[in-house]
Amino acid sequence: MSKVLVFGHKNPDTDTITAALAYAALKKELGVDAEAVRLGEVNGETQYALDYFKVEAPRLVEKVAVEAKEVILVDHNERQQSADDIDEVTVIEVIDHHRIANFETSGPLYYRAEPVGCTATILNKLYKEHGVSISKQNAGLMLSAIISDSLLFKSPTCTPQDVEAANELARIAEVDIAKYGLDMLKAGADLSDKTVEQLITLDAKEFQMGDAKVEIAQVNAVDVNDVLSQQTAIEAALTAVIEKKGLDLFLFVVTDILNNDSVGLALGKRTDVVEEAYQVKLENNQAMLKGVVSRKSQIVPVLTDTFAK
């Protein structure tokens, strides 16, 4: 059997990197020649988890078709978020917890999508279903993903299944969820060494919403003013991306991990959609988004519905 590459979306986050590693490990146990790879740089939060559990990051690839004929997607399905040459390979599996959009295949495949807060929660089930034990390292990585995606269980995307899985994985990994989780989130929220270009691409995803092309980037911070103090430079960088990609809207979201609110910085010709969606008035291109912490459940569907009106 030829090699199968396992990878998540571009601008990878903790769930993307760890899901690729954990699922590739499971596939190997099941006799598949699987390798985890990544489509972008590892962020600070993810590196903290990798270092803590002494795991090497997957290797970086730019193209996948030159290395494999078959691939497995984790933590995403939308083609604009995937490898640039995704149309040149066969997607044989998808393990995901997001909406399904801009995705089709010429043949049948195994598709596992569940309305949970994290891909790792689904992977925890898959390990059980196949009767494969989860190693201490992989348990730690999967726990890290759940903590990241749920903001330590504070995100509205977090389900009882995520909490249950996290507790199971924490026992295997032998870590204290509260202490480890806060330390990991703070590591990810340390943006002091990031350039403006890095800030707007650390966790950015592109979406098709009706006829509109939208990009949404999100960063976590302990103090949002540490980020927004660079607003002039950030806006210049956002404008350059808008022009390069032909975006209708770029929404840059800075999330306060302590107070569970966000500030949205919106640029483009359709910023009116942000105002309508959240019943706010943009002042100096920004607005407070009270209680908004999840791009998946509180931003993407809200904007998609508003664009559809």
Side-chain angles (χ1 to χ4, degrees), residues 194-255:
K194 298 294 185 291
T195 66
V196 167
E197 286 70 23
Q198 288 174 321
L199 284 176
I200 68 170
T201 57
L202 277 173
D203 188 5
K205 290 184 179 181
E206 191 177 307
F207 302 90
Q208 192 68 38
M209 299 182 180
D211 295 330
K213 195 174 180 183
V214 179
E215 187 153 337
I216 304 170
Q218 185 175 22
V219 295
N220 293 336
V222 174
D223 184 348
V224 298
N225 291 320
D226 289 344
V227 177
L228 295 175
S229 63
Q230 306 177 73
Q231 182 170 346
T232 300
I234 291 172
E235 289 189 357
L238 295 181
T239 299
V241 175
I242 291 170
E243 293 176 352
K244 179 180 179 180
K245 296 185 176 182
L247 300 176
D248 296 285
L249 172 67
F250 197 131
L251 179 60
F252 179 63
V253 181
V254 186
T255 298

Side-chain angles (χ1 to χ4, degrees), residues 1-6 24 32-36 68 70-72 92:
M1 181 181 291
S2 59
K3 181 170 66 176
V4 176
L5 297 182
V6 184
V32 177
D33 182 12
E35 180 190 1
E70 297 180 329
V71 302
I72 296 173
I92 59 171

